[in-house]
Amino acid sequence: GGGRGMGMISNFIGGNQPGIARTLAGGLNYNDAWSRNTAVSGSYFYNNMNILNGSDRYREFFLKNDSSLFTSSRNESRNKNQNHRFNFEIDQRLDSFNSILIRPAFSFQDNTSFSGSISRTTKGKTINRNAQDLSNYSDGNGYTFNNSVLFRHRFGRKGRTFSLNLTQSLNNNSSDRRSLNYNTFYAPVNFTDTSDYITAQERSGKTFGATASYTEPIGKRSQMELSYNYNNNRNNSDQDVVSYDQASGKYVQDDTLSNEFYNTSISHRVTASVRQQINKDWNWVAGIGIQHSELTSDNRSRKQYFTQSFDNFFPTVSIQYSKNRARNIRINYRGSTRQPAITQLQDVIDPTNTLSTRRGNAALDQEFVHSFNLMYASFDIFTFKNFFAGINGGFTSNKISNYVTTNSTTMPGLSDDGVPVAPGGQHTTYTNLDGAFNFATFMNIGFPVKKLKGNLNLTSTVALNRDVSMVRDISEASPSTAYTRNYVFAERVSFNMNIRERFDLNLSGTSTYSMVKNSRQPRLDADYFTQMISLEPTYSSKKGWIFALDFDYNFYRGQSEGYNQEIPLLNASIAKQLFKNKAGELKIQAFDLLNQNQSITRTVETNYVEDANTRVLQRYFMVSFTYHLRKFGQNTMPGFFNIFRGAPMPGTQVKVVN
């Protein structure tokens, strides 16, 4: 979670999830040359993770008038997951002109989980709308298989090549889930509503793709590439729901929540591009792609069949300048599409939370994303001064956005797609909207300070993100388009000093100011500020002893009441290098010695802002032993070992989700 030390290993093996995790994991890697022309490699990894998580959350929903809906909740969850992952690769050189590369991969996982929450929703700060006690139990398993076969042929003429890449994937996930909802509603008459659903769900997918590519030299400095891509993606989702009937005391089939849904996406794309090396410093690539795709949705339970077709152009431009690795300029632009997920298409209500329902929209279009970036970098090998600057961004046409209906009234209402919305509740479906974009620029200046035997780095970042959604409250006659603009201004100062031959000192400070503007309530700004100051001294003795401290001071302001915190984090370690050439290291680490670690996050969406304080592992100790097999190739193993070395991770995080 928010703690240090195990963040990297969690990310590598089972996904970085919040909470306190107990992980048992291990694996094997295999690399060999079966013959002069055959190279093989493979791996197997097993991971068993048990995560306990708890959090307090405070969410403000923006209404069009001056009031808001506020929801405070306390959440607990338990998640047990084990997975097996197999990977294999065989690279076969057939002759001097032909080769084939085969890469199959298989994974299997089994999961059991429980989640529960107790929440209360008010209009304004004091007017009660509802209270909820929610519990969900789930038991599921699934597998994923991927395979790639790449054939490569090199002709006699330099630069003339042909390749054919065939890809295939299969996946299946099935689960049984029980959802218990105990809801209390206030005004004009207090009453309680109870629901008990058991859901059997199975989702599976099949994908087949093929890409043929041909390259041809044009003169001495240019090359043309022609390619064709075919992709066939088929998914189905089968949801079967039974609900408890209090009159009969039995579970009965609920046809309104059960659904069998199939989705197919087929695309054909032809691409042509030209690459030219103008001189030893400049080169460029320009290309254009034309794609025809068809998206089909088949709701067999409701006998509804929907199909769409799209024709798109995919331009790409890339320009690069490199001068003796001391100066580098890169300019890139590309266009791409995103298909809606099957959960966004399936026209069925998820009964997990009756106060926050969700339903797909089979009429969704695909998104089209324009992305660009510009980067400049320079480094002076004589003065050791460096300068980096960059701009990147993009905008999305037909963005798949949330269509949210809230109910701030005292009476039940209906969303625009006909789903009941309880007092204080909300319903979400999806629609396509324009107007979403992101933009960010950064600059870094670094130079040595000889008198202090150190290096100073100054980094500035400015970012703007705008998201869009459709929002309506039951009390409003019609929906409105809601925009959320998030401005981020960040400054980081870091100073690394080598005070003596064996004593290093790193100092850094990061300040981040975020401004959130919402079109639904322009007067309710959600501005907040974070500050982190870090001190890291390290001493190494001639006999191989290493002593290190890491102190961070985190400061948060501008969040909801109870979420503004000042958090000091102190870590310490003692290590002894062992054996010849110091190949081994025995280390004792102490994390969060002051027992103050917390995880505070802020999430910003187009119709709400949420602050969360999540349970994290506080003071703990670790003993580790590392041995470097230095006889391996220089570039073969270091990245793998670094994963297990426990690189420092921020103890407390603030993130913005758009």
Side-chain angles (χ1 to χ4, degrees):
R4 289 177 176 253
M6 297 301 291
M8 293 291 284
I9 191 171
S10 297
N11 227 349
F12 175 67
I13 298 176
N16 195 9
Q17 302 179 46
I20 299 175
R22 183 228 63 192
T23 303
L24 301 174
L28 297 171
N29 279 297
Y30 170 74
N31 291 273
D32 200 0
W34 286 355
S35 69
R36 182 178 179 182
N37 296 321
T38 306
V40 296
S41 63
S43 66
Y44 164 73
F45 277 92
Y46 170 77
N47 178 43
N48 186 312
M49 183 177 289
N50 188 354
I51 301 175
L52 300 177
N53 189 25
S55 65
D56 293 318
R57 299 178 180 271
Y58 189 76
R59 177 179 294 188
E60 178 181 1
F61 292 94
F62 301 123
L63 304 180
K64 199 169 185 179
N65 51 36
D66 291 339
S67 63
S68 296
L69 286 177
F70 296 90
T71 299
S72 58
S73 63
R74 174 156 292 183
N75 310 273
E76 297 286 339
S77 66
R78 299 189 298 270
N79 191 310
K80 295 181 179 180
N81 182 75
Q82 63 175 342
N83 59 71
H84 305 261
R85 295 194 300 170
F86 302 86
N87 295 277
F88 189 74
E89 176 181 303
I90 179 169
D91 193 351
Q92 177 67 51
R93 183 183 178 186
L94 304 177
D95 53 42
S96 59
F97 294 98
N98 300 282
S99 66
I100 188 169
L101 177 65
I102 303 174
R103 290 176 171 171
F106 177 79
S107 64
F108 172 81
Q109 71 172 6
D110 184 59
N111 177 270
T112 302
S113 66
F114 162 79
S115 63
S117 68
I118 298 175
S119 64
R120 184 171 72 98
T121 300
T122 63
K123 183 177 182 181
K125 296 285 188 178
T126 58
I127 304 175
N128 290 326
R129 280 294 177 261
N130 65 57
Q132 183 185 58
D133 189 343
L134 173 65
S135 299
N136 280 287
Y137 306 84
S138 178
D139 188 5
N141 58 73
Y143 68 84
T144 300
F145 171 77
N146 296 289
N147 189 36
S148 172
V149 179
L150 175 62
F151 170 76
R152 296 164 292 191
H153 174 74
R154 180 172 58 88
F155 294 90
R157 183 181 179 184
K158 183 179 180 181
R160 180 182 293 172
T161 66
F162 173 78
S163 65
L164 177 64
N165 189 21
L166 303 178
T167 59
Q168 180 188 21
S169 67
L170 303 171
N171 65 81
N172 181 275
N173 291 279
S174 59
S175 64
D176 294 314
R177 184 178 67 238
R178 185 182 183 187
S179 302
L180 299 173
N181 289 259
Y182 301 95
N183 303 322
T184 301
F185 300 96
Y186 307 96
V189 178
N190 294 358
F191 69 96
T192 300
D193 176 67
T194 302
S195 62
D196 183 354
Y197 297 104
I198 296 178
T199 303
Q201 189 173 69
E202 182 171 3
R203 289 175 178 163
S204 61
K206 300 178 181 179
T207 301
F208 173 78
T211 301
S213 178
Y214 174 79
T215 63
E216 177 70 22
I218 306 174
K220 295 182 178 180
R221 295 180 177 272
S222 302
Q223 186 181 60
M224 178 183 66
E225 181 177 4
L226 299 175
S227 66
Y228 166 75
N229 172 264
Y230 170 79
N231 191 71
N232 188 317
N233 188 4
R234 301 175 183 271
N235 296 281
N236 72 280
S237 178
D238 188 1
Q239 178 172 292
D240 187 70
V241 180
V242 295
S243 59
Y244 183 75
D245 181 56
Q246 295 184 354
S248 63
K250 299 180 180 179
Y251 287 92
V252 297
Q253 181 74 26
D254 194 325
D255 293 330
T256 62
L257 300 178
S258 301
N259 187 261
E260 186 178 4
F261 184 82
Y262 289 78
N263 167 252
T264 302
S265 175
I266 300 175
S267 65
H268 304 263
R269 176 162 43 176
V270 178
T271 304
S273 64
V274 176
R275 176 189 301 271
Q276 184 180 33
Q277 185 74 41
I278 300 174
N279 52 46
K280 65 177 183 179
D281 300 329
W282 287 94
N283 69 79
W284 60 268
V285 180
I288 183 69
I290 302 174
Q291 177 175 292
H292 175 77
S293 57
E294 295 182 356
L295 183 64
T296 301
S297 298
D298 184 6
N299 192 329
R300 298 189 178 182
S301 299
R302 300 184 181 181
K303 303 187 184 306
Q304 296 175 345
Y305 187 85
F306 195 85
T307 184
Q308 302 179 82
S309 63
F310 308 94
D311 293 297
N312 297 107
F313 292 92
F314 295 86
T316 59
V317 178
S318 177
I319 302 172
Q320 181 170 332
Y321 168 81
S322 180
K323 185 70 172 178
N324 299 327
R325 298 184 179 181
R327 293 183 181 178
N328 191 289
I329 299 175
R330 293 182 181 180
I331 303 173
N332 296 290
Y333 164 79
R334 68 185 299 266
S336 61
T337 59
R338 293 176 185 166
Q339 302 294 332
I342 192 169
T343 53
Q344 296 171 322
L345 292 167
Q346 188 175 15
D347 185 11
V348 64
I349 299 173
D350 184 353
T352 302
N353 185 343
T354 55
L355 291 182
S356 182
T357 56
R358 191 172 293 268
R359 182 184 188 181
N361 176 10
L364 286 174
D365 293 342
Q366 62 180 3
E367 298 179 348
F368 193 89
V369 182
H370 303 267
S371 304
F372 69 90
N373 66 75
L374 167 64
M375 190 191 77
Y376 172 78
S378 67
F379 177 74
D380 191 320
I381 60 175
F382 299 104
T383 64
F384 293 98
K385 293 180 180 179
N386 64 78
F387 177 79
F388 302 92
I391 300 174
N392 62 75
F395 62 92
T396 305
S397 301
N398 283 331
K399 185 179 188 299
I400 300 173
S401 304
N402 290 336
Y403 190 155
V404 182
T405 303
T406 57
N407 187 357
S408 63
T409 72
T410 60
M411 301 298 294
L414 287 177
S415 66
D416 288 345
D417 58 341
V419 176
V421 184
Q426 71 166 356
H427 170 70
T428 302
T429 185
Y430 305 94
T431 189
N432 292 103
L433 296 173
D434 293 326
F437 65 84
N438 63 84
F439 170 84
T441 179
F442 70 92
M443 181 177 66
N444 179 87
I445 301 174
F447 53 88
V449 181
K450 295 182 179 180
K451 291 184 178 181
L452 298 177
K453 298 181 180 180
N455 292 285
L456 180 65
N457 280 275
L458 307 173
T459 307
S460 302
T461 304
V462 177
L464 168 61
N465 295 281
R466 188 173 82 164
D467 203 1
V468 59
S469 66
M470 192 70 71
V471 180
R472 182 176 80 91
D473 188 72
I474 294 295
S475 61
E476 300 168 6
S478 60
S480 60
T481 304
Y483 298 96
T484 295
R485 298 187 307 276
N486 181 33
Y487 303 87
V488 178
F489 306 90
E491 184 69 31
R492 175 178 170 81
V493 179
S494 63
F495 190 60
N496 305 319
M497 292 185 291
N498 181 229
I499 299 176
R500 293 183 180 179
E501 180 182 356
R502 298 183 176 277
F503 182 55
D504 296 326
L505 179 62
N506 298 332
L507 302 170
S508 65
T510 303
S511 300
T512 305
Y513 182 72
S514 299
M515 298 189 303
V516 180
K517 309 293 183 182
N518 187 277
S519 62
R520 295 276 288 178
Q521 284 194 353
R523 288 179 292 178
L524 292 181
D525 297 336
D527 303 347
Y528 55 98
F529 174 79
T530 65
Q531 172 88 47
M532 186 182 78
I533 300 173
S534 179
L535 173 67
E536 300 178 18
T538 303
Y539 175 75
S540 303
S541 73
K542 293 182 179 180
K543 295 183 178 181
W545 289 94
I546 302 174
F547 304 89
L549 287 176
D550 181 359
F551 177 75
D552 294 335
Y553 186 80
N554 300 276
F555 179 87
Y556 304 91
R557 285 296 180 268
Q559 296 178 312
S560 303
E561 184 178 353
Y563 292 86
N564 293 313
Q565 300 286 339
E566 298 179 20
I567 304 170
L569 294 173
L570 178 61
N571 304 326
S573 66
I574 301 175
K576 181 65 170 69
Q577 295 174 322
L578 305 170
F579 310 127
K580 186 179 179 180
N581 297 325
K582 300 179 180 179
E585 182 183 86
L586 180 64
K587 179 185 286 188
I588 301 175
Q589 296 169 276
F591 297 90
D592 189 22
L593 283 171
L594 304 178
N595 211 36
Q596 297 293 311
N597 192 18
Q598 296 185 51
S599 175
I600 298 175
T601 58
R602 166 160 285 199
T603 302
V604 179
E605 292 285 356
T606 50
N607 65 316
Y608 71 83
V609 172
E610 180 182 81
D611 291 322
N613 190 337
T614 304
R615 179 188 304 161
V616 295
L617 187 63
Q618 293 186 309
R619 183 191 298 137
Y620 68 100
F621 300 87
M622 180 186 298
V623 178
S624 61
F625 175 74
T626 304
Y627 185 81
H628 294 276
L629 303 175
R630 300 183 185 276
K631 290 186 179 181
F632 280 94
Q634 183 177 357
N635 296 323
T636 303
M637 300 302 290
F640 176 80
F641 276 113
N642 285 338
I643 293 171
F644 292 93
R645 289 179 64 84
M649 300 292 289
T652 308
Q653 303 173 356
V654 169
K655 61 182 177 181
V656 175
V657 179
N658 288 291

